[in-house]
Amino acid sequence: MARQNKGTGPWLAFGVPIALGLAWVTQGTGVVENDLERNIYIPDELTMPLQVQAAYNDERIFFRYRWPAEQAHVYHDMLRYEDGEWIRHGSSMPGPNPDGTYEDRVAMLVDDGGVPDFGRYGGYITVGDQMRFFSDSASPAEVAEHPYLGQEKGKSDVRKYLPDTRTDRGDWRSVADADVLAAQREAGYFLDLWHWRAGRSNPIGVSDDQWVGEYRNSDAGSGPYTTNWDSESDRPRWMLDPEKTGQRALRWEDVTSGEVDFDGIYYLSEDNRTDFDPDHDWQNGDVIPRRLLRQPEGSRGSIAVQGQARWEDGYWDVTLVRDLDTGSPLDDKILADQGVYDIGIAVYRNATGSRWHYVSLPYTLGLGRQADLQATAFAGSAPDWDDEWFDMTLFYPGQVDWPLLVSRAHAGAPDIAEGTPVQARHSEKQLALYGVEMEFREAITSRWWMTLIAGLIAMLGTTLALLPSFRSIRQGDRS
Amino acid sequence: MNGTHAMLTHLPVGFWVLATLMILVGAFLSGRLAEISRAALLPVLVLSLLGGLAAIIIGFLVWPMEANLASPLTRNHILMALWSLGIFSMITVLVWKAGDAAFEGNRRWALVILALTGGLMFSSAGTLGGHLAGASTAFSDVLGLMGWDVYTTFYSPFWVIAVMVLIGIALGALGLMNQRKAG
């Protein structure tokens, strides 16, 4: 026994730190990877900065947004001519569009207190059950058969909706009755959605204007774009007017070059279009935008671009302007001096769309009153923007929906029931990491169990190996 | 239940800190203090295991099991707590088995290695518990410098899990063979 005490036996204790050390240095690897079949794409950067300013005069309010982007993505939904066919590039897809044909965007949700949970939890409350592009997204066929969403509204996916527009918060199908939805809207239970698009609205100096209730709806009127496609003839309806632009189409190599000439022709609008000429000698690589830009009308045309929104030196700089009172209280949140409101902002960049955006936590906006983001009162037609930027950190939210957050599977559900704001418990970075892990929830949980048990097995084996060296020394052995 | 768990965790953490110090003193120092440390180690370890078991059992009742398994922080807290319990169970068994001779020869270094490894584990479990209670500590940043962001689940790739199991099986088999040889 004395020989064992002095021998190598006790050093077998290193079995535990070696096993656990190996687990430590490799932890977090082997599960998280892109899986486009399951609508999973994890962005390289999980957070990004956004700078915001706000100002208002007697009639209008201005928001200025500035965020970094490696390049400007202004092309969206393009038709490329190839061997006699017009091929579509730029529809919604998981992750970045490989051709770069998906527009940059900034979207802002605004509330006036009509949706109290929005001020505490931001856009999370709009992420419902089986949303589009989630791994468990509702099938288009099922949505299309839904009596309200499918048959009445003609939708085939589940988009943002507010929790109380469903009788069962965990079931997207349980849309409340039409009279209840109408009453909710009258009572202010909806979110205003400012939606600037680098391709489908910015070239003509406007922003889209939408609202979120039982779905992500558009304001009344017509939007800043329509579809340039003749499905009967399988070809575009319009092309660039050669008399006005000197060309009939864009070129694919220009569209995918990553360069943008904001003063050149990179879009199709009512001002530069003409009827499509099927007899023209179209060449492979000719490109016609699948969206025709047009001046929005009605409530949907309430938001305009102030000046010129441009990408320059690695940053987008976008300023939007709207009347404080648009006269459309069922579509917009009416703002006023001395008001405090809630906002949440999302940015799309790197040619990604749908849920591959970066979102902010909710912040308060004050018009003459104390708030996170203080809108500066000014006289005149346009603000000077002399004040400091308000810095936000945006984060990739992953696949976390509201039904989950208020369920037993979320330890913070009781906090939500008590109204504890999200900022009190979570940072943006933390939420981003959690969002990614939720996309691999089952695989990570399973691997975690295995790691836990493997560590305990290593400990048990090491104990057995050490026991012979730790035998009690009987009388007489001590000499 | 959250408060009860927080209260109970003081027992194992306190005893594990004390046991680690006693092992270090017993291994590196001589004299009266070292003798007392060696002599009193086993009861401290036994108490730490009892306290650890109580804290862990109550800990599983703080939130529903679905929530425990859905949260990276909670998963990590559970893993580090169970690994801490595992390592100090090892030490307890070894000290109990060796009796007065637990610190003789190279044995002391085995105890030191295990105690320091266990120290990292229960420190991690503790700081994770602080996060869950809404009071994080700077120790999380230390763990970050060591390559682990505590907001991500601690899990390993398959090959590492296999190596860990193989280490356990190989060392276990070696131990059993040595025990048979020793009669």
Side-chain angles (χ1 to χ4, degrees):
Chain A
M1 186 55 66
R3 184 184 58 77
Q4 280 185 328
N5 288 346
K6 292 175 184 173
T8 57
W11 298 108
L12 294 174
F14 271 118
V16 170
I18 288 173
L20 302 191
L22 193 57
W24 191 291
V25 298
T26 60
Q27 61 81 26
T29 60
V31 173
V32 176
E33 58 183 19
N34 295 334
D35 182 355
L36 301 185
E37 291 291 312
R38 293 179 54 230
N39 288 332
I40 289 176
Y41 175 86
I42 309 301
D44 294 334
E45 294 178 69
L46 295 181
T47 60
M48 64 167 282
L50 172 70
Q51 295 178 300
V52 189
Q53 290 178 317
Y56 67 105
N57 59 18
D58 289 342
E59 294 181 353
R60 302 197 294 172
I61 185 159
F62 301 73
F63 287 92
R64 185 180 178 195
Y65 315 87
R66 185 173 184 270
W67 70 93
E70 286 185 14
Q71 65 181 74
H73 290 279
V74 301
Y75 297 107
H76 184 95
D77 216 352
M78 295 283 155
L79 298 167
R80 178 172 62 93
Y81 186 79
E82 201 67 36
D83 298 331
E85 289 184 43
W86 290 94
I87 301 164
R88 186 180 179 191
H89 293 265
S91 55
S92 291
M93 63 191 314
N97 185 290
D99 302 316
T101 50
Y102 206 95
E103 66 192 348
D104 294 328
R105 290 190 263 166
V106 62
M108 181 172 71
L109 289 165
V110 183
D111 184 47
D112 58 359
V115 188
D117 277 346
F118 176 71
R120 293 189 278 268
Y121 311 111
Y124 277 117
I125 69 164
T126 69
V127 186
D129 172 44
Q130 292 188 272
M131 297 272 286
R132 68 172 180 157
F133 285 110
F134 271 52
S135 292
D136 67 344
S137 61
S139 76
E142 187 180 7
V143 181
E145 288 174 7
H146 188 272
Y148 177 78
L149 294 174
Q151 294 175 15
E152 188 173 329
K153 290 182 73 83
K155 307 299 182 186
S156 60
D157 57 19
V158 180
R159 298 193 188 184
K160 286 180 171 60
Y161 66 82
L162 295 182
D164 288 346
T165 63
R166 300 300 191 271
T167 55
D168 175 355
R169 290 184 169 192
D171 186 356
W172 63 268
R173 302 166 191 82
S174 63
V175 180
D177 293 340
D179 55 340
V180 172
L181 295 178
Q184 288 180 348
R185 196 173 166 193
E186 287 275 356
Y189 188 68
F190 72 92
L191 298 172
D192 196 357
L193 173 57
W194 297 37
H195 198 164
W196 173 89
R197 309 167 195 263
R200 285 180 288 177
S201 72
N202 187 55
I204 57 171
V206 298
S207 165
D208 208 345
D209 192 358
Q210 300 174 301
W211 62 278
V212 176
E214 86 290 5
Y215 195 78
R216 193 191 78 182
N217 298 297
S218 293
D219 286 15
S222 60
Y225 61 87
T226 187
T227 302
N228 177 27
W229 185 248
D230 181 347
S231 54
E232 289 183 4
S233 307
D234 272 349
R235 65 190 188 205
R237 290 178 186 276
W238 304 287
M239 62 180 189
L240 290 169
D241 186 341
E243 292 184 6
K244 293 178 180 173
T245 66
Q247 59 193 95
R248 288 178 175 78
L250 309 173
R251 289 294 302 169
W252 184 243
E253 55 269 26
D254 296 331
V255 168
T256 56
S257 70
E259 303 288 329
V260 183
D261 177 6
F262 284 100
D263 297 321
I265 301 297
Y266 64 95
Y267 59 92
L268 183 70
S269 75
E270 286 176 323
D271 294 335
N272 66 12
R273 60 113 187 235
T274 189
D275 289 341
F276 179 76
D277 179 3
D279 299 324
H280 178 70
D281 182 21
W282 295 102
Q283 301 295 308
N284 285 349
D286 282 343
V287 174
I288 294 178
R290 190 173 167 275
R291 303 293 184 175
L292 175 81
L293 306 187
R294 61 186 183 183
Q295 282 301 318
E297 294 178 350
S299 172
R300 199 172 171 185
S302 299
I303 306 168
V305 174
Q306 172 74 7
Q308 292 185 320
R310 293 286 185 266
W311 178 91
E312 192 174 359
D313 297 331
Y315 283 85
W316 270 107
D317 194 338
V318 176
T319 300
L320 302 180
V321 56
R322 197 203 77 177
D323 286 348
L324 290 167
D325 184 351
T326 61
S328 305
L330 295 182
D331 288 347
D332 301 319
K333 293 292 178 172
I334 306 306
L335 310 178
D337 184 35
Q338 293 302 308
V340 173
Y341 307 92
D342 298 306
I343 59 169
I345 302 176
V347 162
Y348 295 78
R349 62 177 186 176
N350 301 333
T352 58
S354 19
R355 69 175 184 82
W356 285 273
H357 53 1
Y358 295 86
V359 303
S360 79
L361 293 174
Y363 291 95
T364 53
L365 163 74
L367 276 65
R369 284 175 61 197
Q370 194 64 39
D372 299 322
L373 172 60
Q374 203 79 37
T376 306
F378 72 96
S381 59
D384 295 330
W385 300 124
D386 289 336
D387 293 332
E388 294 284 309
W389 287 100
F390 180 72
D391 293 309
M392 295 182 181
T393 297
L394 309 188
F395 62 97
Y396 168 69
Q399 296 191 44
V400 177
D401 62 36
W402 188 246
L404 170 80
L405 292 176
V406 296
S407 75
R408 284 169 57 85
H410 180 215
D415 293 330
I416 290 177
E418 291 174 2
T420 306
V422 59
Q423 285 101 329
R425 297 307 301 259
H426 300 298
S427 67
E428 292 90 346
K429 178 193 166 195
Q430 184 183 7
L431 291 169
L433 293 171
Y434 283 9
V436 171
E437 291 224 351
M438 286 308 299
E439 306 204 47
F440 304 91
R441 181 175 165 183
E442 289 180 10
I444 286 178
T445 305
S446 161
R447 197 69 67 85
W448 168 81
W449 272 118
M450 286 188 246
T451 306
L452 168 58
I453 292 168
L456 294 175
I457 290 172
M459 290 175 201
L460 177 61
T462 307
T463 307
L464 291 172
L466 288 171
L467 276 176
S469 302
F470 275 78
R471 283 190 170 186
S472 177
I473 298 171
R474 298 182 192 89
Q475 209 91 31
D477 286 347
R478 291 181 184 277
S479 57
Chain B
M1 209 55 83
N2 199 357
T4 307
H5 174 66
M7 180 192 74
L8 286 175
T9 52
H10 285 79
L11 295 174
V13 170
F15 282 128
W16 285 337
V17 170
L18 179 60
T20 302
L21 284 174
M22 292 168 82
I23 288 171
L24 293 176
V25 169
F28 288 101
L29 300 182
S30 58
R32 181 73 178 144
L33 185 61
E35 285 175 16
I36 292 172
S37 294
R38 292 179 203 129
L41 180 59
L42 185 59
V44 169
L45 286 167
V46 171
L47 288 172
S48 79
L49 296 190
L50 292 174
L53 276 173
I56 288 173
I57 290 169
I58 294 297
F60 276 113
L61 302 178
V62 172
W63 287 303
M65 203 56 194
E66 304 101 288
N68 289 334
L69 296 180
S71 160
L73 269 181
T74 314
R75 284 193 285 243
N76 294 338
H77 185 53
I78 292 170
L79 180 137
M80 289 299 161
L82 289 177
W83 279 4
S84 301
L85 185 67
I87 289 175
F88 280 93
S89 296
M90 290 177 70
I91 297 173
T92 306
V93 168
L94 295 173
V95 170
W96 168 71
K97 192 76 178 170
D100 295 340
F103 284 83
E104 288 191 5
N106 287 337
R107 293 172 174 178
R108 70 184 66 191
W109 306 124
L111 297 181
V112 169
I113 291 164
L114 293 175
L116 291 178
T117 307
L120 178 61
M121 297 301 131
F122 74 68
S123 302
S124 301
T127 196
L128 288 162
H131 274 278
L132 289 166
S136 57
T137 73
F139 187 66
S140 301
D141 298 331
V142 176
L143 297 177
L145 293 173
M146 294 169 68
W148 177 36
D149 190 317
V150 296
Y151 294 129
T152 62
T153 301
F154 191 109
Y155 64 86
S156 300
F158 279 129
W159 71 269
V160 171
I161 291 169
V163 168
M164 293 166 75
V165 171
L166 283 175
I167 287 173
I169 291 172
L171 290 180
L174 181 66
L176 290 174
M177 283 192 300
N178 285 340
Q179 284 190 56
R180 280 180 190 158
K181 281 182 191 172

